Amino acid sequence: MVEKFNEFEMAQKQFDQVAKLLNLDPQVAEVLRWPMREYSFRIPVRMDDGSIKVFQGFRVQHNDARGPNKGGIRFHPAETFDMVRALATWMTWKCAVADIPLGGGKGGIVVDPATLSVGEKERLCRGWVQKMWKNIGPRQDVPAPDVGTTPQMMGWMMDEYSKLVGQYTPGVFTGKPLGGGGSEGRTEATGYGVIYTVREAMKRLKIDPKKSVAAMQGFGNVTQYAAIGFIEMLGGTVACVSCWDRTDKCAYTYSKEGGIDPHFLMTITDQYGTIDRKAAEKAGYKVEDGEAWIGKEADVLMPGALSGAVNAETVKKISKRVKIVAEGANGPCTPEADEYFKKNNIFDIPDFLCNAGGVTCSYFESVQNDANFYWPKEEALQKLDQKMTVAFHKVLDMSIKQKAYMRDAAYMVAIDSVAKAMQLRGWV
Ligand code: NAD
């Protein structure tokens, strides 16, 4: 029988390995291996037909030594408690590596949001808050959108919380819509953040960005802005992007002689990141199978869609020209891919550093909510660049000092910082 993959066991394994490398006090390690608080609850919702349906909800607060917990709420039919635990743990490391004063949290509801009407979605969102409001808040735990949840949903949730506590509290949820307490720059933040780290990696490897080519997977929020950034900020060329075609039920890779134009492609892409194949073909784009992106002649590979996309099989297709892998998605490279990168001297920018731009801008949103003073987009993006650049160099310095692979170095920076905060607060 094939053993079921368990994300939380993997998160603990990764932690144990780095704890050993860091010679971490076993008592400190014992605290960090487990979430500090976990909530599991049921949410009854009145459906449109008058019946009541009960949904399973979760929230996990992994560690708040560095500040209030932070992390998304996922609406997914296959959501599990262990998945939420793992994601909450990874959020602790992501906030620490980005050096934002927040801890790690994650939440979810077992549901396929596509099966709900707008009214049912709103009642479910409000129901989640009715169960959790005493244990979240700007100084406790600040949720955000994630898989299956949207800025509009955050608006409803913030409204429900504000009603329950009796005062307008925009900082309790981030990822809210612009005009409803959201931050300028949040849409671009993750993709641009990826590019700030790629820019720094290129400086380190002495690669001329203007002569460089990138191949990217996906064409959702992350890849769209990573592609724009690669072309407009670095002066490079994007050879291809890819997407899941919701009509044909398969993935395609889109490329064009001289490079793709992300602005044009965005005009023919739906809200789920599916490019209109016929419109692309009409505009002269070449359409290949979904895996073609990984074999393109490129200096930079940016897996920006799926976890496990670069694995034991697909990694063999990588062109000899690839020097940098920038992990825009969460968990896109498997341990076998890591081994290949190490052997072939490919510089990997690990996910929780590379895609930390999103949570960093979410932190900016709560800062602006607290101050009740909102920044222009240029200011938000300039602060984001500063944060991402410092975070990248902290990890790079650690990797040089410890002769460690970038992923291990990022874990070392993060775990060290959380362990120190716990010690300073007298927890351990
Ligand atoms: P999204 O839903 O906006 O876009 C996903 C894209 O992936 C779409 O273009 C979709 O067509 C494509 N896709 C799906 N299956 C595919 C396949 N088999 N082959 C090729 N493309 C496929 O999602 P997003 O917000 O861009 O997030 C992408 C990844 O980045 C996820 O792993 C997410 O967890 C991670 N991430 C996102 C953010 C953020 O702020 N958006 C922050 C951190 C991490």
Side-chain angles (χ1 to χ4, degrees), residues 128-397:
W128 190 95
V129 177
Q130 284 156 17
K131 295 290 172 193
M132 276 304 299
W133 70 278
K134 286 193 177 158
N135 301 296
I136 58 171
R139 298 287 173 268
Q140 279 175 283
D141 183 3
V142 184
D146 205 296
V147 173
T149 47
T150 61
Q152 172 61 75
M153 293 180 181
M154 297 305 112
W156 292 326
M157 288 176 146
M158 181 274 279
D159 180 70
E160 189 66 22
Y161 180 87
S162 295
K163 281 180 181 154
L164 288 163
V165 298
Q167 51 184 300
Y168 177 56
T169 316
V172 61
F173 286 92
T174 60
K176 299 181 293 300
L178 270 180
S183 174
E184 289 284 0
R186 177 62 186 89
T187 311
E188 297 85 352
T190 308
Y192 280 12
V194 167
I195 298 308
Y196 300 143
T197 65
V198 168
R199 180 193 64 205
E200 296 307 304
M202 285 181 163
K203 281 186 201 157
R204 162 86 186 152
L205 302 177
K206 300 196 169 46
I207 294 172
D208 180 355
K210 292 198 170 58
K211 291 189 187 137
S212 65
V213 175
M216 302 189 171
Q217 189 196 38
F219 199 60
N221 174 258
V222 177
T223 306
Q224 289 173 8
Y225 288 96
I228 291 174
F230 197 83
I231 296 164
E232 295 178 2
M233 288 192 249
L234 304 185
T237 305
V238 177
C240 66
V241 293
S242 71
C243 74
W244 179 257
D245 191 299
R246 295 185 318 117
T247 311
D248 296 355
K249 305 224 174 327
C250 64
Y252 292 122
T253 300
Y254 292 85
S255 59
K256 193 166 193 199
E257 197 62 41
I260 62 120
D261 173 357
H263 291 292
F264 166 72
L265 287 179
M266 280 163 79
T267 65
I268 57 164
T269 300
D270 70 15
Q271 58 170 315
Y272 304 101
T274 294
I275 299 168
D276 180 334
R277 182 169 57 84
K278 289 203 178 92
E281 277 169 343
K282 206 167 138 204
Y285 280 79
K286 183 172 166 189
V287 183
E288 295 166 273
D289 71 80
E291 284 208 346
W293 75 280
I294 205 167
K296 293 275 172 203
E297 277 288 302
D299 307 276
V300 179
L301 279 188
M302 206 287 288
L306 300 178
S307 64
V310 189
N311 53 43
E313 275 310 303
T314 56
V315 79
K316 292 180 202 149
K317 298 183 185 167
I318 287 184
S319 126
K320 290 275 172 274
R321 183 170 163 183
V322 172
K323 309 273 184 337
I324 296 172
V325 174
E327 299 184 1
N330 283 324
C333 300
T334 65
E336 292 81 8
D338 277 334
E339 285 316 308
Y340 181 91
F341 299 159
K342 286 178 197 167
K343 221 162 80 197
N344 291 279
N345 223 3
I346 293 173
F347 188 94
D348 181 68
I349 311 173
D351 52 1
F352 64 103
L353 167 64
C354 193
N355 69 31
V359 73
T360 303
C361 199
S362 281
Y363 158 61
F364 294 164
E365 181 178 333
S366 52
V367 169
Q368 294 168 76
N369 291 154
D370 263 1
N372 204 14
F373 181 77
Y374 290 82
W375 311 338
K377 188 187 272 189
E378 299 69 40
E379 187 177 346
L381 291 175
Q382 188 224 332
K383 285 187 162 76
L384 179 68
D385 188 351
Q386 218 170 15
K387 273 280 184 207
M388 294 297 294
T389 303
V390 170
F392 176 89
H393 284 283
K394 244 190 186 168
V395 174
L396 180 64
D397 290 350

Side-chain angles (χ1 to χ4, degrees), residues 1-14 78 80-84 86-87 90 307-308 330-336:
M1 205 177 82
V2 182
E3 222 175 280
K4 208 176 162 309
F5 174 71
N6 182 302
E7 294 83 3
F8 185 52
E9 281 171 17
M10 185 169 106
Q12 285 190 316
K13 226 177 254 170
Q14 290 170 341
T80 65
F81 215 163
D82 273 347
M83 180 72 177
V84 181
L87 291 165
W90 287 322
S307 64
N330 283 324
C333 300
T334 65
E336 292 81 8

